[in-house]
Amino acid sequence: ELYSEEETIFSVTDDSGGITHFVCHAKDVTPQRIAEKALRESEEKYRQLFEYVNSILKSLVDSLVVMTPERKIQTVNQATLDLLEYAEDELLGQPAGKLFEDEALFQAKCFKELMAKGFVRDVELVCRAKNGRKIPMLSSGSVLRNEYGTIQSIICVALDLTERKRAENLEF
């Protein structure tokens, strides 16, 4: 679009109320239209990127939990829900400690190091399914910071070790 304008037309009347002529006021709105189009395109790209990333996260075969710096659950993927036998609305907003057999151990073994170093790798923890079943997990995590260095989220990915532990003849 090369040029856009908005027009307003006013009638001018004489003393008896008869229209003598019209005045047209035109305003170039091309920059506004260009900005609106760019904004729509940007919003569409962002929406598509969000949907793409969300579909990746939802399709991971390992458990994924995203939590706030206060350890409240923000996001979980389908693998987590299937493994722990929860519905998504039963976990979102809940304390992350709800997922662990021993929250104090999670705090000592994983969370303190995660906050200090910004990441942890291969930490063995035991999660607790909704029905109370214990699930050995191998967890890794990292903090996600904004441009000012403030922690926005904590991302944890975990692998179910149940079959490996059974193979090692350990009770789980």
Side-chain angles (χ1 to χ4, degrees), residues 5 8 41 49 53-54 67 92 111 118 122 129 135 142 144 162-163 167 171:
E5 71 178 25
T8 307
E41 290 171 354
L49 177 62
V53 170
N54 199 37
M67 63 185 100
L92 298 184
F111 195 75
D122 301 331
I135 306 166
S142 63
L144 179 64
T162 303
E163 293 304 317
E171 183 179 330

Side-chain angles (χ1 to χ4, degrees), residues 63-121:
S63 178
L64 171 87
V65 176
V66 180
M67 63 185 100
T68 67
E70 298 78 31
R71 297 188 306 266
K72 299 283 185 190
I73 299 169
Q74 283 181 309
T75 304
V76 293
N77 67 346
Q78 191 59 48
T80 302
L81 298 174
D82 293 343
L83 180 66
L84 301 179
E85 302 171 355
Y86 280 102
E88 188 174 41
D89 64 343
E90 293 177 295
L91 292 178
L92 298 184
Q94 295 296 310
K98 178 177 187 165
L99 305 177
F100 301 100
E101 179 64 21
D102 184 345
E103 186 176 358
L105 183 62
F106 164 70
Q107 174 73 18
K109 210 173 175 185
C110 190
F111 195 75
K112 283 184 181 178
E113 183 179 348
L114 181 62
M115 297 308 279
K117 290 175 40 180
F119 69 93
V120 292
R121 285 193 183 104

Side-chain angles (χ1 to χ4, degrees), residues 2-26:
L2 297 178
Y3 178 75
S4 292
E5 71 178 25
E6 288 181 356
E7 298 172 352
T8 307
I9 300 175
F10 302 95
S11 60
V12 179
T13 58
D14 59 20
D15 292 337
S16 64
I19 297 175
T20 59
H21 60 281
F22 294 93
V23 175
C24 178
H25 176 264

Side-chain angles (χ1 to χ4, degrees), residues 24-46:
C24 178
H25 176 264
K27 179 181 177 186
D28 180 5
V29 292
T30 305
Q32 180 182 346
R33 296 291 187 254
I34 291 170
E36 289 169 352
K37 182 180 179 188
L39 179 60
R40 281 191 307 274
E41 290 171 354
S42 176
E43 287 172 342
E44 178 61 18
K45 285 180 184 176
Y46 178 77

Side-chain angles (χ1 to χ4, degrees), residues 60-65 77 79-80 83-84 100 121-127 133-141 156-165 168 172:
L60 284 174
V61 294
D62 291 336
S63 178
L64 171 87
V65 176
N77 67 346
T80 302
L83 180 66
L84 301 179
F100 301 100
R121 285 193 183 104
D122 301 331
V123 177
E124 284 196 37
L125 296 167
V126 178
C127 285
R133 178 175 52 98
K134 296 178 185 180
I135 306 166
M137 304 289 285
L138 186 63
S139 302
S140 296
C156 298
V157 178
L159 171 68
D160 180 0
L161 296 177
T162 303
E163 293 304 317
R164 184 183 302 172
K165 294 290 186 180
E168 295 171 357
F172 271 101

Side-chain angles (χ1 to χ4, degrees), residues 66-67 69 74 118 142-146 149-155:
V66 180
M67 63 185 100
Q74 283 181 309
S142 63
V143 296
L144 179 64
R145 297 179 186 273
N146 67 15
T150 305
I151 296 174
Q152 295 299 110
S153 297
I154 300 158
I155 303 165

